């Protein structure tokens, strides 16, 4: 069976885990690219040797050659530095912008029909940069963060209430950082509002732990950041696109008037199918949620201006 071609750029923790999950789930023939000689090749070879045990038929190959991007349906970008303890995502801005800008240009040249999913931090700003430098339409450039932040929230609630994680539904919108916006009013457990199961103080604690979810793992690992749940989350998005599922998932998208916001990349619910972002889904928000989303968008807008200044001064 011919599988779609998906390229993962960056064969580090997130990229390699993503590549393996794509293969395990039978979603794609995977190419893994990294600048470090041997890294992508070695990991891809190792993954391909799990095929007889796991029973997947797709190929996994690794290379340093960006020409291997050709023919990709989806390009997932995980290239760049990850946080160390004490670092904010914004501390990665200049270094990762210098990676994402050229990578996006190269994707546009070599895989001009691809859907581009960015994972590199600071996420919302790297999506804005990838959109600008690729010249792709906004339907084909997005960032992974909302699926992960929502999964963290759902996992914490499920653990606290001893229910299956899939019994908890909930979405986190906004920027991938301190100003993320959990839609508290719509979190449910077995279909019932979470507020019937958890006192407000305790729910507040879980929301705060969700916002700090990345930093909690960075502090434990001490060298590098989370990668299992991030990889699962980006593969969920890729699967929705490859299988044309029209699934509604939170993702970082460029807004053009939706939610009253324009000219900013931020986490919102989007419908994902073969074309990429089929539409931004406008959920009814409470006044507080709308205000929180606006504050989050303002922070990203300021960041986009700062990024432009950083890039101008580097010239
Ligand atoms: P890491 O394990 O360091 O892997 C990054 C890889 O990128 C390394 O192998 C590098 O050699 C490679 N690389 C650097 N420049 C290039 C290039 N130009 N072309 C190809 N490869 C390159 O990091 P990681 O996998 O843990 O994290 C990767 C990125 O994802 C970081 O920026 C993280 O902050 C980010 N991240 C984001 C989330 C979100 O939820 C948004 C979650 C987890 C990680």
């Amino acid at each position: 069976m011919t599988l779609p071609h998906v390229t993962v750029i960056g064969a580090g923790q997130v990229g390699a885990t993503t590549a393996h999950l794509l293969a395990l789930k039978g979603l794609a023939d995977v190419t893994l690219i990294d600048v470090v000689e041997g890294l992508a090749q070695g990991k891809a070879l190792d993954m391909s040797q799990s095929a007889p045990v796991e029973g997947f038929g797709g190929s996994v190959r690794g290379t340093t050659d960006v020409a291997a991007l050709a023919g990709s349906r989806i390009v997932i970008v995980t290239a760049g530095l990850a946080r160390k303890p004490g670092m904010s995502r914004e501390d990665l801005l200049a270094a990762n912008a210098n990676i994402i800008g050229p990578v996006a240009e190269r994707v546009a040249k070599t895989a001009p029909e691809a859907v581009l999913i960015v994972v590199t931090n600071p996420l919302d700003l790297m999506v804005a940069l990838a959109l600008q430098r690729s010249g792709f339409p906004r339907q084909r450039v997005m960032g992974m963060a909302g699926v992960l932040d929502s999964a963290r929230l759902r996992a914490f609630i499920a653990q606290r209430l001893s229910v299956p994680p899939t019994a908890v539904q909930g979405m986190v919108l906004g920027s991938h950082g301190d100003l993320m916006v959990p839609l508290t009013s719509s979190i449910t457990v077995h279909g019932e509002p979470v507020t019937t199961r958890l006192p407000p103080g305790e729910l507040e604690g879980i929301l705060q732990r969700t916002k700090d979810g990345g930093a909690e793992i960075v502090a434990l690992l001490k060298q590098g950041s989370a990668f299992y749940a991030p990889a699962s989350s980006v593969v969920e998005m890729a699967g929705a696109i490859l299988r044309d599922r029209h699934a509604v998932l939170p993702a970082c998208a460029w807004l053009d008037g939706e939610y009253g916001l324009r000219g900013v990349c931020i986490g919102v619910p989007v419908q994902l199918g073969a074309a990429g972002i089929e539409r931004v889904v406008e959920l009814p928000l409470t006044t507080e949620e709308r205000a929180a989303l606006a504050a989050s968008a303002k922070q990203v807008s300021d960041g986009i201006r700062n990024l432009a200044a950083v890039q101008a001064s580097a010239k």
Side-chain angles (χ1 to χ4, degrees):
M1 189 176 68
T2 314
L3 289 171
H5 178 202
V6 173
T7 298
V8 181
I9 305 184
Q13 302 280 54
V14 180
T17 313
T18 298
H20 201 202
L21 279 177
L22 287 165
L24 286 171
K25 291 180 177 232
L27 283 168
D29 285 328
V30 185
T31 300
L32 192 54
I33 298 181
D34 203 285
V35 285
V36 176
E37 186 56 59
L39 184 69
Q41 293 95 320
K43 289 190 177 183
L45 186 60
D46 187 8
M47 280 177 220
S48 68
Q49 291 165 2
S50 72
V53 183
E54 297 289 353
F56 64 83
S59 62
V60 189
R61 63 190 182 124
T63 180
T64 53
D65 183 3
V66 282
L69 277 163
S72 301
R73 273 282 290 120
I74 298 179
V75 178
I76 297 171
V77 183
T78 72
L81 306 186
R83 281 194 286 173
K84 298 209 170 68
M87 284 175 90
S88 78
R89 294 181 178 92
E90 280 60 36
D91 291 334
L92 305 170
L93 181 65
N96 284 351
N98 285 336
I99 294 171
I100 297 305
V103 162
E105 285 173 3
R106 185 64 207 222
V107 171
K109 203 167 143 205
T110 312
E113 304 303 325
V115 173
L116 187 50
I117 310 179
V118 178
V119 181
T120 305
N121 274 315
L123 192 271
D124 307 274
L125 302 181
M126 292 304 103
V127 177
L129 180 63
L131 183 70
Q132 185 211 350
R133 298 284 278 275
S134 66
F136 280 2
R138 68 173 180 140
Q139 287 78 12
R140 288 201 281 122
V141 183
M142 67 195 79
M144 184 295 292
V147 175
L148 171 65
D149 295 329
S150 307
R152 285 179 172 153
L153 174 68
R154 294 168 64 201
F156 290 146
I157 293 173
Q159 285 157 15
R160 164 63 185 81
L161 296 175
S162 301
V163 298
T166 50
V168 182
Q169 297 302 326
M171 223 184 243
V172 178
L173 307 183
S175 57
H176 184 53
D178 300 339
L179 295 188
M180 67 178 72
V181 183
L183 299 187
T184 317
S185 61
S186 55
I187 304 170
T188 58
V189 180
H190 285 303
E192 292 186 3
V194 67
T195 44
T196 62
R197 307 282 294 264
L198 277 177
E202 228 181 305
L203 181 58
E204 235 359 274
I206 288 178
L207 297 177
Q208 191 55 49
R209 190 175 177 201
T210 302
K211 290 181 187 179
D212 298 335
E216 184 178 354
I217 292 173
V218 170
L220 287 165
L221 294 179
K222 296 185 183 67
Q223 42 190 0
S225 55
F227 53 99
Y228 292 113
S232 294
S233 301
V234 74
V235 169
E236 175 77 358
M237 293 171 68
I241 295 165
L242 295 168
R243 299 267 162 95
D244 198 20
R245 281 200 201 114
H246 314 292
V248 176
L249 297 171
C252 177
W254 183 260
L255 297 186
D256 190 18
E258 297 90 352
Y259 290 97
L261 301 168
R262 197 179 293 280
V264 69
C265 272
I266 197 157
V268 287
V270 295
Q271 184 177 304
L272 293 182
I277 297 177
E278 298 175 327
R279 67 188 178 103
V280 173
V281 178
E282 292 204 63
L283 299 175
L285 301 185
T286 63
T287 310
E288 291 77 28
E289 288 163 353
R290 196 165 275 277
L293 192 64
S296 197
K298 159 95 175 49
Q299 189 187 51
V300 177
S301 293
D302 292 347
I304 291 174
R305 268 194 298 280
N306 182 27
L307 173 62
V310 166
Q311 291 197 297
S313 69
K315 278 184 185 161

